[in-house]
Amino acid sequence: MFQVQATDVILPGLVAPSGFQLHQRPVTRPGTGQALVHVEASGISFAEQQMRRGRYPGQPKFPFVPGYDLVGTVLEVGPAVDPALVGLRVAAATKTGGWTTHALVTAADLVPVPATVDAVDAETVIVNGLTAWQMLHRSARVQAGQTILVHGANGGVGSILVQLARHAGLRVIGTASPRHHGALRELGVEPLDYQAADLAAQVRVLAPGGVDAAFDHLGLASARCSFSLLARGGTLVAYGMAAEVNSERSVLQLFIKMLGQIAAWTLLPNGRRATFYDFWGGKQLAPATFRAHQQADLRQVLALLAQGVLTPQVAARFPLSAIGQAMELAESRTVMGKVVLTP
């Protein structure tokens, strides 16, 4: 029914991008509640860049197969799974395990991909699209006509976030390297140089009354600046520590400081609020609600992709065998969009 050998990308430990390993193994048959997916596309997210350095909270012990999300076709299902899934192209957020030719996935986590959508294009909007959608509509609760600030507007999350924002009727100010400004203008973004010494002043010129929401993945120092740029009633959504990726400081301590600062901001009677977006937040405490939100939101994003509202931002495509080159490019911060692996 399917080939008997699978190929995995293994992260063996704290290695350079060239240190990933390819491993052949027999295909594992699906168990109860599982589906076997032939993977067509899996992306490189910032999470894997952190995992390579051992700096992603809660990552598995080495060695393991990375891969935060995937798109593929269901080959076989296990007991207690609808057999109608076999042959369908599906998407799933996996956290790990996506960098393979054959993945076992919990069937309840699968979302159908519209037939007109290319697998690589769909891959760019799974974790990135879910993150962007939920930050906009569940965390910040934006309204048409508002102005938002998006840091890293050229990145995997940022490039989808700005498109969703424009579709929602928002004005978008986005920071990025000048090399990406032309592409961002085509998306309707007002771009600013992320390295400008007077970046905050430039934002204030464009939005004298402040921005209604700011989306910041850089870390505490940048978050403090972003919070200061909020209008009354505005929301800061922090969602990462990208500026600390090469730092030797404790990840746990960094997050404690960030969460402490967010709590302090939220308690202040200043008419503004802050929150930290956690992609997996709520999965343990309310798994049914978590899954329902993920399914509904991913269906929305995939539908917008199928309708042409979203333009997939594919930075490059690589086979699994070129994982070292793919990771180097993803970490170079020179590309717009997402680097995708195509098993």
Side-chain angles (χ1 to χ4, degrees):
M1 184 177 178
F2 47 82
Q3 71 181 60
V4 296
Q5 289 293 310
T7 300
D8 298 331
V9 172
I10 303 294
L11 178 55
L14 302 178
V15 297
S18 60
F20 287 94
Q21 301 171 356
L22 293 184
H23 174 68
Q24 298 273 322
R25 61 171 173 85
V27 170
T28 305
R29 307 294 290 272
T32 301
Q34 292 183 320
L36 175 65
V37 178
H38 179 233
V39 180
E40 299 170 55
S42 182
I44 299 179
S45 303
F46 183 68
E48 287 93 17
Q49 299 174 37
Q50 292 177 294
M51 290 178 188
R52 184 178 71 77
R53 297 166 170 84
R55 294 182 62 79
Y56 187 85
Q59 71 183 70
K61 293 181 180 179
F62 299 118
F64 65 91
V65 179
Y68 220 78
D69 53 13
L70 60 82
V71 174
T73 301
V74 177
L75 294 181
E76 186 180 12
V77 297
V81 178
D82 185 354
L85 280 176
V86 175
L88 289 183
R89 174 174 282 167
V90 294
T94 53
K95 197 170 188 178
T96 58
W99 293 0
T100 182
T101 56
H102 296 77
L104 286 179
V105 183
T106 300
D109 292 335
L110 299 176
V111 174
V113 174
T116 57
V117 174
D118 176 76
V120 171
D121 292 346
E123 204 292 322
T124 66
V125 302
I126 304 173
V127 166
N128 290 349
L130 267 171
T131 298
W133 178 275
Q134 293 182 340
M135 289 195 302
L136 275 171
H137 298 292
R138 294 193 185 276
S139 298
R141 300 191 290 273
V142 294
Q143 301 292 325
Q146 293 184 325
T147 297
I148 68 170
L149 171 65
V150 178
H151 287 288
N154 63 294
V157 173
S159 60
I160 301 298
L161 178 57
V162 299
Q163 292 183 74
L164 289 173
R166 293 294 295 149
H167 178 65
L170 303 175
R171 179 191 178 202
V172 181
I173 301 169
T175 72
S177 169
R179 70 169 68 90
H180 301 299
H181 286 189
L184 289 173
R185 288 190 184 95
E186 291 182 6
L187 296 177
V189 177
E190 298 170 53
L192 295 175
D193 184 352
Y194 79 103
Q195 290 185 315
D198 62 342
L199 178 60
Q202 291 186 41
V203 173
R204 290 189 180 98
V205 169
L206 294 176
V211 297
D212 298 293
F215 302 88
D216 196 316
H217 67 305
L218 296 172
L220 185 54
S222 181
R224 285 173 173 151
C225 180
S226 294
F227 190 79
S228 73
L229 295 170
L230 292 176
R232 186 168 184 82
T235 302
L236 165 67
V237 183
Y239 66 104
M241 299 277 188
E244 301 286 349
V245 66
N246 291 314
S247 170
E248 295 184 358
R249 293 194 288 176
S250 164
V251 175
L252 179 59
Q253 290 181 4
L254 290 169
F255 272 101
I256 289 174
K257 286 183 178 180
M258 173 67 84
L259 295 177
Q261 179 64 84
I262 286 174
W265 281 329
T266 302
L267 291 172
L268 290 174
N270 56 22
R272 297 174 290 176
R273 68 185 187 94
T275 184
F276 190 90
Y277 173 80
D278 175 7
F279 184 87
W280 300 103
K283 184 175 183 179
Q284 299 299 322
L285 294 176
T289 300
F290 172 84
R291 178 171 282 148
H293 285 172
Q294 278 215 335
Q295 295 250 337
D297 296 345
L298 183 53
R299 287 175 187 270
Q300 289 266 19
V301 173
L302 286 170
L304 291 175
L305 183 63
Q307 294 163 21
V309 172
L310 295 178
T311 300
Q313 302 297 313
V314 182
R317 309 178 186 210
F318 289 90
L320 293 182
S321 59
I323 180 58
Q325 294 172 263
M327 180 60 78
E328 286 180 356
L329 181 62
E331 294 188 1
S332 70
R333 300 187 182 183
T334 62
V335 296
M336 181 156 176
K338 194 167 188 180
V339 176
V340 179
L341 301 174
T342 55

